[in-house]
Amino acid sequence: MDRVAAANDEEILELEIKAGMDRGTANEEEILELEHDSSVDYKGGGQAVKYSTGGWISALFIIAVELAERFAYYGVSSNLITYLTGSLGESTATAAAGVNLWSGIASLLPLLGGLVADSFLGPYRTIVTATIVYLLGLGMLTLLAVLTSHDCPKNGAKKSCSPPQIHIGLFYFALYIVAIGQGGHKPCVQAFGADQFDGKDPEESKAKSSFFNWWYFSSSVGVIVTLLVLVYIQDNLSWALGFGIPCIAMVAALVIFLLGTKTYRFSAKTKTKHPFVRIGRVFVAAIKNWKITPLAIEFQEEGSGSSPSHISKQFKFLHKALFKPAGVMEDGKGCSITEVEEAKAILRLVPIWVSCLGYGIVFAQSSTFFTKQGVTMDRRLTSSVDIPPATLQIFIATSIALLIPVYDRVFVAIARSVTKKPSGITMLQRIGIGMVLSAMAMVIAALIETKRLNTAQEHGLVNVPKATVPMKIWWLVPQYILFGAADVFTIVGLQEFFYDQVPAELRSMGISFYFSIFGTGSLLSSLLVSVINKASKDSWFDSNLNQAHLDRFYWLLAGLSGAGFGLFLCFAKSYIYKR
């Protein structure tokens, strides 16, 4: 009797499976419509004409906006720790934790901005709205810098002050307004720029891959201008002017973006369900269909031949969503194959995201402890001119600006001739190379910090916190250059990867996933600093850096980078790219 019952159950399962698979195939055409280019013009009424919309003309407007926005953002972030420890009188550890926390949240907020863009406003309206919020935050920072200058009349960059708590509270409030504006602006601008190229057109597809390189190039140019101009103004002239100029830059960015409106391609609205609904439906269906055994699924796939050749073998538990046990789904239908593959595509991103967090933690250091190291070193350029320590970040941006054209025009061409791939190397290979360079940068940073501490000890400066260690600031340049080289590979690779590997309607969210790596990395860095600061008997982050042990922290980060790369290799080997 048990055998008869089992046989009957198997027959029922086969019938249910076949019905589910047939439904999945029927849904295929409906969902695959999303893969074709369906852009419309700015009026929204007709299909965008290729020769008069999109392409590099539209992309150049958007790239110019990125340049202005990065100039504004780094005008706040690159020298923020100096303002916090100077004009606001915070300790080094407190200021570093505050910068990391703010940077982390600023990098996580694009998740909210991407959600708003993909689900409600669309990228264009989100960009405009976010830019207005951005301007509000920058305006408040400028006003508060004017007020703080009255509390600290003698150059706040060089004298520690104690402004009223209300000013400090309002300053942080304004900072987070900037973060909210950046959170809506950043993912949408990049995704909207990439959307100006039709991925189905062979020529435009190549241009789209190149777009990510030149996008990051323009971003680096904005950073270079910031570090050459704004940091000097903030350290030597006025923080009010140093925050006011970024505000003007964002006004210019908004004007430029609006001027390009008639040239843009906009994504046409589709009648299909929202991707979040489709993907969520797959997981719900798979859970409800838990009684369908893997053996039954495999038997039906092999026996009936109804399983399409392009369905991947990863995460086979989601295949249960294809089938229709009676009364399980409200509409009585299983999910389509494409819906299941969309859910798998999102699930595959999680291990890659996790393994890149070590890179995100390391990324947070260049604007915090690297800058504070530079303060203690010999910064004389001439007898009367000192190099602002935050300006050394220019070597990151400069190496990026120099290496991206070489990568795009030379490296890719050579790699393409060997691998026969249009992009030269895969996106994950590109990310992995940058992770190795990042770990090397932290090893070099640890060695140089050890030398700086030894130099301070040799000259009896350990207990003299404001003394200049007789060691040129140029010793820090190699770690900055390696950071830039790592970014050319990993950051651009992550941007393209998360844009390309999500469903077409979630591309703003895809860019947000990339940003969230660095947001989470900054938060983890802040947490790491706080935990170590409380746990260590001799503080690694003493305000007197000559008594601190940043070298130990850098060795720890080098170890985390190596472990992250090992994890990344394991996940990358089994990764299946979205087709």
Side-chain angles (χ1 to χ4, degrees):
M1 291 296 291
D2 290 341
R3 290 182 180 178
V4 172
N8 287 337
D9 286 345
E10 189 169 319
E11 289 177 9
I12 292 169
L13 278 174
E14 288 183 20
L15 290 173
E16 292 167 348
I17 287 167
K18 183 171 179 58
M21 293 295 290
D22 289 343
R23 167 61 190 165
T25 305
N27 270 1
E28 200 69 20
E29 292 182 4
E30 175 187 345
I31 306 299
L32 283 177
E33 287 178 1
L34 299 174
E35 299 300 322
H36 297 290
D37 183 49
S38 55
S39 300
V40 296
D41 59 21
Y42 73 101
K43 295 179 181 178
Q47 188 168 3
V49 181
K50 279 193 176 183
Y51 70 83
S52 60
T53 63
W56 281 112
I57 294 176
S58 298
L60 287 174
F61 277 103
I62 298 170
I63 285 174
V65 171
E66 169 67 3
L67 192 155
E69 189 276 333
R70 289 294 85 185
F71 172 80
Y73 180 78
Y74 278 93
V76 175
S77 67
S78 62
N79 207 21
L80 182 58
I81 193 168
T82 304
Y83 186 82
L84 295 179
T85 55
S87 295
L88 297 191
E90 294 185 348
S91 68
T92 299
T94 301
V99 171
N100 283 331
L101 179 63
W102 175 76
S103 297
I105 292 175
S107 296
L108 287 174
L109 282 172
L111 288 170
L112 178 60
L115 177 64
V116 169
D118 288 337
S119 302
F120 304 105
L121 297 180
Y124 180 86
R125 290 188 180 91
T126 305
I127 292 166
V128 173
T129 304
T131 304
I132 293 171
V133 174
Y134 214 137
L135 285 169
L136 176 63
L138 290 171
M140 289 179 65
L141 287 180
T142 304
L143 179 60
L144 288 164
V146 172
L147 295 175
T148 305
S149 67
H150 294 301
D151 302 319
C152 184
K154 295 181 180 178
N155 197 338
K158 297 181 179 179
K159 179 184 176 182
S160 182
C161 306
S162 299
Q165 285 299 312
I166 185 66
H167 287 181
I168 297 175
L170 286 173
F171 182 83
Y172 274 102
F173 177 75
L175 271 183
Y176 283 95
I177 293 294
V178 170
I180 292 170
Q182 193 255 181
H185 192 278
K186 192 62 179 168
C188 302
V189 172
Q190 189 167 15
F192 191 56
D195 286 345
Q196 303 308 307
F197 300 93
D198 179 6
K200 299 299 179 181
D201 182 288
E203 291 301 318
E204 290 199 14
S205 179
K206 289 181 182 178
K208 178 181 280 191
S209 182
S210 187
F211 166 80
F212 286 96
N213 290 325
W214 293 106
W215 173 271
Y216 202 54
F217 174 85
S218 69
S219 175
S220 300
V221 171
V223 175
I224 289 171
V225 176
T226 297
L227 297 173
L228 282 176
V229 178
L230 275 185
V231 170
Y232 179 84
I233 290 172
Q234 291 167 349
D235 280 1
N236 297 281
L237 299 179
S238 164
W239 279 101
L241 190 58
F243 289 144
I245 293 174
C247 188
I248 295 170
M250 282 308 296
V251 172
L254 180 60
V255 172
I256 291 169
F257 183 72
L258 294 175
L259 286 174
T261 298
K262 292 185 178 181
T263 73
Y264 299 146
R265 294 176 187 169
F266 297 81
S267 297
K269 294 182 179 179
T270 61
K271 296 180 181 179
T272 57
K273 293 185 178 76
H274 191 278
F276 284 133
V277 175
R278 298 199 303 265
I279 292 167
R281 185 169 174 260
V282 170
F283 286 102
V284 171
I287 292 169
K288 288 184 176 180
N289 291 349
W290 64 275
K291 289 185 179 180
I292 295 179
T293 65
L295 182 63
I297 297 171
E298 186 175 343
F299 175 79
Q300 178 62 18
E301 289 176 353
E302 294 177 357
S304 68
S306 57
S307 177
S309 60
H310 66 265
I311 189 167
S312 65
K313 299 301 180 183
Q314 271 186 328
F315 308 121
K316 292 190 72 171
F317 66 91
L318 290 180
H319 293 190
K320 296 179 182 183
L322 294 167
F323 314 130
K324 182 183 67 65
V328 172
M329 301 297 293
E330 291 182 4
D331 58 1
K333 300 173 182 177
C335 299
S336 76
I337 293 161
T338 302
E339 287 173 335
V340 172
E341 287 301 307
E342 283 182 335
K344 287 184 180 183
I346 296 298
L347 209 54
R348 288 188 198 106
L349 298 179
V350 175
I352 301 297
W353 187 92
V354 171
S355 63
C356 289
L357 288 178
Y359 187 90
I361 295 172
V362 170
F363 184 85
Q365 308 313 313
S366 63
S367 61
T368 53
F369 291 121
F370 282 13
T371 300
K372 294 305 291 183
Q373 275 180 282
V375 172
T376 69
M377 301 172 77
D378 184 357
R379 298 183 285 118
R380 289 176 298 173
L381 188 61
T382 66
S383 58
S384 58
V385 178
D386 287 349
I387 302 169
T391 299
L392 282 194
Q393 293 175 60
I394 197 172
F395 286 102
I396 297 178
T398 302
S399 61
I400 291 169
L402 292 176
L403 289 174
I404 279 182
V406 174
Y407 180 90
D408 192 69
R409 299 303 177 188
V410 179
F411 180 86
V412 170
I414 295 172
R416 190 181 290 155
S417 65
V418 175
T419 64
K420 309 303 179 185
K421 298 179 183 293
S423 58
I425 57 176
T426 67
M427 291 176 279
L428 290 176
Q429 287 171 339
R430 182 173 187 173
I431 293 166
I433 292 171
M435 293 176 76
V436 172
L437 294 174
S438 173
M440 290 171 57
M442 292 316 301
V443 170
I444 290 175
L447 292 172
I448 291 173
E449 175 60 8
T450 301
K451 178 175 175 57
R452 192 192 69 80
L453 290 173
N454 290 338
T455 303
Q457 189 171 21
E458 288 170 6
H459 290 81
L461 302 175
V462 173
N463 297 313
V464 188
K466 295 185 178 181
T468 298
V469 176
M471 181 175 170
K472 286 291 186 181
I473 197 171
W474 305 119
W475 279 91
L476 299 179
V477 170
Q479 64 203 53
Y480 280 107
I481 290 177
L482 269 178
F483 258 52
D487 288 354
V488 168
F489 286 92
T490 296
I491 288 188
V492 181
L494 285 171
Q495 289 173 352
E496 186 173 4
F497 177 78
F498 280 100
Y499 173 87
D500 184 73
Q501 295 299 297
V502 297
E505 302 145 287
L506 290 180
R507 282 171 176 165
S508 292
M509 282 299 298
I511 297 295
S512 301
F513 295 152
Y514 144 73
F515 278 114
S516 68
I517 291 173
F518 300 98
T520 306
S522 288
L523 294 177
L524 289 175
S525 177
S526 182
L527 177 64
L528 202 58
V529 169
S530 298
V531 170
I532 292 172
N533 208 33
K534 290 179 180 178
S536 58
K537 294 180 180 178
D538 48 342
S539 176
W540 290 14
F541 313 106
D542 196 288
S543 292
N544 177 4
L545 286 192
N546 296 334
Q547 292 182 347
H549 292 283
L550 285 182
D551 54 334
R552 297 177 187 175
F553 184 58
Y554 291 161
W555 282 118
L556 175 63
L557 293 184
L560 286 175
S561 296
F565 177 68
L567 198 62
F568 174 82
L569 277 182
C570 295
F571 294 137
K573 284 180 179 178
S574 61
Y575 187 83
I576 299 173
Y577 285 92
K578 188 186 80 172
R579 303 188 182 191

